[in-house]
Each structure stands twice: as structure tokens, then as C-alpha cells.
């Protein structure tokens, strides 16, 4: 398997624009996670899905953020409208069910810069 | 609320030294603990996963131990090499309920190994 695949790798956008980040988890993984990494706050969990259903979105900072998982092989994280403070690296990760090896695997991340 | 602390924040050693990275967590009700490596501008690479019932895991020159009752884990790196230079992160996963997916990360230890 190619691992967790994220796109784009880099995104530069102007304040107020809509940004969509994409993730393809490892095939067969039941859990998908979206994390944000900044120097100040480290890695923060934004939301996670189990079997395509959002389980906990308490980490989503504001209503400007939304995430979807329309099927087992694809998820999006959308920011609308974007603000400079949203600049960070956004990671997607996936893992298998808790009854199996639950090692989490991360994608390479999307570096978002909002100017 | 689970809090994960890593000590030291940064470590610089000459090549060949054995070293220990520390991770502590406040809530011992964990399902597992995972150590990751992150190279600059890259994603997270899983190094070792320790289930809550295990005491240690080994992979090559890496050995991770877990003392769940005291809320501590250590990552031991034997015969360090310049290629080991990276940020090392530990993360804990809680036992159940909707918190299961909340992999909580420490702030990381930045390791530099000098030739």
C-alpha cells in the first residue's frame, strides 16, 4: 500500500478564500484522523471518523472548519473562509479497528499558508 | 484531560552514544502508546507501538518501555547515528468510548546527533 496520501502538499491562499484538503487513508483502515500541527500548540486532533462516521469533532476550532468522509477511501477538510491564523501543517492519519493492530499511520501533510 | 510531556525538549549528543528519551502521561487509562519520528518538513513515521498490557517493544537499535501505572515511557536509542537526528514524539490512546480515537501527543524531543 502507498500509505496515507494527502493533497495538495503545499497550499498558499489569500485570506477569505475557501481551502479544501484531501486525504486517502490506507485501504482497510477503519479510523481516519485529521490533525493540525503548529509550533505553538504542537499536534492537535481536529476530528476523527470511524467507518466514515464522524465520532468526535470537538477539536474543530470553529464553524469555518468542516470535514467529510463520503466513503472509506476519501476524506476532505474544508476551511471557509480561511484566515491567517489557520496557517499550519495539516495531517491526515488512519488506523485499523481497536481489536486489531491499532498503529496509526500518518500522511506527509499539507502545509497551508494563508496570507 | 490527558496531558503528555516529553523531556528533554532538545538533546544534542555525539555519534555513538546511547540515549534515553522520556515521555510521561497524566491518565494511566491508556489503550496503547506509540513513538513516532518526524524529520523536518515531513510527516510522522511510526517507530514502535506498545499495547497497555506490554512492558516493552524493540525494533533494531530502538527499545521502548512502558510503565502504565506510573504514567511513563522511555525510548532508548543505542549507538546513535547522525541519521537519527529528528524530532521524536510520543502519543497515547485512551481506552474506550468516544475518546478512543484521541491520540494525544507530547511536544516532542528534538534530537541532534553530531558526527
Amino acid at each position: 500500500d502507498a500509505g496515507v496520501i494527502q493533497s495538495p502538499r503545499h497550499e498558499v491562499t489569500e485570506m477569505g478564500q475557501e481551502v479544501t484538503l484531501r486525504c486517502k487513508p490506507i485501504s482497510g483502515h477503519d479510523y481516519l484522523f485529521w490533525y493540525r500541527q503548529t509550533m505553538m500548540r504542537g499536534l492537535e486532533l481536529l476530528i476523527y471518523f470511524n467507518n466514515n462516521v464522524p465520532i468526535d469533532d470537538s477539536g474543530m476550532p470553529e464553524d469555518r472548519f468542516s470535514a467529510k468522509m463520503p466513503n472509506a477511501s476519501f476524506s476532505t477538510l474544508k476551511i471557509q473562509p480561511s484566515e491567517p491564523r489557520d496557517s499550519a501543517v495539516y495531517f491526515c492519519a488512519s488506523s485499523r479497528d481497536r481489536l486489531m493492530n491499532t498503529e496509526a499511520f500518518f500522511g506527509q501533510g499539507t502545509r497551508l499558508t494563508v496570507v | 484531560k490527558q496531558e503528555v510531556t516529553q523531556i528533554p525538549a532538545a538533546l544534542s549528543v555525539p555519534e555513538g552514544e546511547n540515549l534515553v528519551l522520556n515521555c510521561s502521561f497524566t491518565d494511566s487509562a491508556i489503550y496503547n502508546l506509540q513513538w513516532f519520528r518526524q524529520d523536518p518538513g515531513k510527516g510522522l513515521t511510526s517507530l514502535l507501538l506498545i499495547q497497555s498490557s506490554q512492558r516493552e517493544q524493540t525494533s533494531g537499535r530502538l527499545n521502548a518501555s512502558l510503565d502504565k501505572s506510573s504514567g511513563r515511557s522511555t525510548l532508548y536509542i543505542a549507538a546513535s547515528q547522525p541519521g537519527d537526528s529528528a524530532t521524536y514524539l510520543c502519543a497515547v490512546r485512551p481506552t474506550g468510548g468516544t475518546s478512543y480515537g484521541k491520540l494525544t501527543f507530547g511536544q516532542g524531543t528534538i534530537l541532534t546527533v553530531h558526527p
Side-chain angles (χ1 to χ4, degrees):
Chain A
D1 199 309
V4 177
I5 300 173
Q6 293 186 245
S7 65
R9 290 294 308 278
H10 302 273
E11 177 80 35
V12 181
T13 190
E14 292 186 346
M15 182 174 62
Q17 295 298 305
E18 177 179 298
V19 175
T20 299
L21 311 181
R22 296 173 176 81
C23 174
K24 181 181 187 310
I26 293 173
S27 178
H29 281 194
D30 304 290
Y31 286 83
L32 183 140
F33 311 87
W34 282 101
Y35 284 86
R36 178 172 66 177
Q37 186 177 40
T38 61
M39 287 293 293
M40 290 297 295
R41 301 173 69 89
L43 272 160
E44 302 174 283
L45 177 66
L46 301 176
I47 185 172
Y48 78 95
F49 296 82
N50 179 212
N51 292 323
N52 313 339
V53 177
I55 302 300
D56 190 329
D57 64 355
S58 59
M60 297 284 262
E62 304 172 30
D63 291 344
R64 298 184 296 106
F65 286 68
S66 63
K68 294 182 180 179
M69 192 166 185
N71 57 63
S73 59
F74 184 66
S75 177
T76 59
L77 178 66
K78 185 177 293 185
I79 308 173
Q80 166 63 20
S82 58
E83 296 182 3
R85 60 194 168 116
D86 300 331
S87 298
V89 180
Y90 291 80
F91 287 104
C92 177
S94 69
S95 73
R96 299 180 76 179
D97 183 80
R98 72 179 73 190
L99 295 179
M100 308 177 78
N101 182 351
T102 58
E103 188 174 5
F105 294 89
F106 280 69
Q108 290 297 297
T110 295
R111 183 173 295 276
L112 173 65
T113 303
V114 183
V115 298
Chain B
K1 178 186 175 185
Q2 178 74 271
E3 293 184 3
V4 181
T5 304
Q6 291 187 245
I7 295 173
L11 183 63
S12 181
V13 300
E15 181 177 6
E17 277 203 6
N18 301 324
L19 54 96
V20 174
L21 308 181
N22 297 291
C23 172
S24 62
F25 45 95
T26 55
D27 187 346
S28 62
I30 66 168
Y31 190 77
N32 59 36
L33 182 146
Q34 197 167 351
W35 282 94
F36 294 87
R37 166 186 175 140
Q38 185 175 28
D39 292 287
K42 303 290 186 181
L44 281 69
T45 299
S46 179
L47 297 173
L48 289 164
L49 173 74
I50 309 178
Q51 302 293 351
S52 61
S53 58
Q54 297 175 321
R55 297 285 293 183
E56 65 180 289
Q57 280 286 339
T58 299
S59 176
R61 294 182 294 107
L62 304 180
N63 176 275
S65 67
L66 174 64
D67 184 344
K68 195 175 75 165
S69 60
S70 67
R72 296 183 181 185
S73 176
T74 61
L75 180 66
Y76 176 83
I77 303 177
S80 58
Q81 303 170 357
D84 295 330
S85 299
T87 297
Y88 289 80
L89 295 142
C90 72
V92 297
R93 175 168 280 180
T95 49
T98 58
S99 298
Y100 170 70
K102 288 188 173 182
L103 200 61
T104 303
F105 282 84
Q107 287 289 81
T109 294
I110 301 171
L111 173 65
T112 304
V113 182
H114 299 287

